[in-house]
């Protein structure tokens, strides 16, 4: 199906986020327009301070914009209250963080179950889905282990399983390889590509060109504005990579 005939999963329309501190006004996001469809793997790329975390917080329903409209899967998120935002987050978004954010005292399967608990999935089904997600990332045999018994790359795979377990509409990854060495980075990126091929929609935030090019589309931001939006091959040509 052509893009124009599909309903977008994410639609940012004239989104701005403005911080005011005394006389200082910072346009952390400055009139962003961005449409992402189901099944895409998009990297949002930019230098430190360019506005990546700000836009990720908006896309992830963790924060609302100062102005503009954000439509997520048909819901207008831009004016939602905190409890409504939390509901949307639990139902629709799986998060992957740089520091994995696993609970150290809980086993792997308990960690993966946690978002399912917030989403109100009943106990027996939680366990089943968490084990299936761990199997998907190749860590079923370690499901009773604690996070610290794993390598960094394995811990990030657990956090990918946790993001997948709720069967979210969107996987949102914030610098998912930021804490990993280059070999493990390749492994985790390979993993994200695999779940993308299996149908997941992924938005990945990164400051690193070599990470961004593993996505199929790159959105580059600078000073809160989008300065490039296109497929990765075009990006490589334009930026001499
Ligand atoms: N809560 C806040 N109050 C005031 N200014 C903020 C706030 N959050 C972000 N900013 C400013 O908005 C701009 C964009 O910040 P943002 O955190 O989105 O950048 P980033 O691209 O994520 O950077 P990094 O790669 O360093 O994480 C920066 O100039 C930052 O100082
Ligand atoms: Mg940031």
């Amino acid at each position: 199906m052509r893009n124009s005939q599909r309903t977008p999963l994410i639609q940012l329309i004239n989104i701005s986020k403005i911080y005011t501190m005394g006389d200082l006004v910072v346009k952390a996001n400055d009139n962003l327009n961005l449409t992402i469809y189901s099944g895409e793997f998009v990297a949002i790329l930019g230098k430190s301070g360019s506005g990546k975390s700000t836009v990720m917080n908006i896309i992830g329903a963790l924060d609302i914009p100062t102005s503009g409209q954000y439509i997520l899967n048909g819901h207008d998120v831009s004016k939602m209250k905190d409890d409504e935002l939390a509901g949307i987050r639990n139902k629709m978004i799986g998060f992957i963080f740089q520091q994995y954010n696993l609970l150290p005292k809980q086993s792997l399967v308990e960690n993966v179950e946690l978002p399912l608990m917030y989403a109100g999935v009943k106990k027996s089904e939680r366990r089943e889905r968490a084990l299936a997600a761990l199997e998907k990332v190749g860590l079923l045999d370690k499901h009773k282990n604690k996070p610290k018994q794993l390598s960094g790359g394995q811990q990030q795979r657990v956090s990918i399983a946790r993001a997948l377990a709720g069967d979210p509409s969107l996987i949102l990854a914030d610098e998912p390889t930021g804490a990993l060495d280059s070999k493990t980075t390749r492994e985790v990126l390979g993993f994200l590509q695999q779940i993308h091929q299996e149908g997941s929609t992924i938005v990945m935030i990164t400051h690193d060109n070599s990470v961004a090019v593993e996505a199929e589309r790159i959105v580059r931001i600078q000073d809160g504005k989008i300065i490039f939006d296109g497929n990765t091959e075009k990006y490589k040509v334009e930026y001499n990579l």
Side-chain angles (χ1 to χ4, degrees), residues 112-200:
V112 174
E113 274 181 21
L114 207 63
L116 296 174
M117 198 168 84
Y118 291 136
V121 177
K122 65 176 196 289
K123 202 172 177 186
S124 55
E125 192 186 334
R126 279 202 312 256
R127 184 56 50 113
E128 208 173 291
R129 279 166 69 172
L131 289 171
L134 280 171
E135 185 169 27
K136 218 170 186 180
V137 301
L139 289 169
L140 182 58
D141 57 331
K142 293 191 189 289
H143 73 274
K144 288 184 182 148
N145 287 43
K146 298 279 159 61
K148 68 164 189 283
Q149 296 170 312
L150 303 184
S151 70
Q154 288 173 328
Q155 289 187 56
Q156 193 56 303
R157 275 155 57 193
V158 176
S159 98
I160 293 172
R162 182 183 55 190
L164 284 172
D167 198 17
S169 310
L170 171 68
I171 302 260
L172 192 52
D174 186 15
E175 300 274 4
T177 59
L180 302 175
D181 61 41
S182 57
K183 179 170 167 279
T184 319
T185 290
R186 292 301 126 197
E187 261 172 45
V188 166
L189 289 171
F191 231 84
L192 291 176
Q193 283 173 334
Q194 189 185 319
I195 63 171
H196 165 237
Q197 270 147 28
E198 288 164 7
S200 290

Side-chain angles (χ1 to χ4, degrees), residues 19-36:
Y19 294 109
T20 315
M21 289 167 297
D23 291 342
L24 188 68
V25 176
V26 178
K27 287 188 177 174
N29 283 171
D30 189 359
N31 208 31
L32 300 183
N33 285 287
L34 179 64
T35 301
I36 295 174

Side-chain angles (χ1 to χ4, degrees), residues 34-37 40-43 215-219 229-232:
L34 179 64
T35 301
I36 295 174
Y37 292 89
E40 286 199 89
F41 182 5
V42 181
E216 61 180 8
R217 172 179 166 197
I218 295 180
V219 174
D229 180 2
N231 74 45
T232 301

Side-chain angles (χ1 to χ4, degrees), residues 19 21 26 28 46-54 175 207:
Y19 294 109
M21 289 167 297
V26 178
K47 296 201 174 121
S48 180
S50 57
K52 300 184 297 296
S53 292
T54 305
E175 300 274 4
H207 66 279

Side-chain angles (χ1 to χ4, degrees), residues 11 26 34 45-46 48 78 97 99 101 169 197:
Q11 235 181 332
V26 178
L34 179 64
L45 171 71
S48 180
S78 26
F97 302 99
Q99 295 299 344
N101 289 17
S169 310
Q197 270 147 28

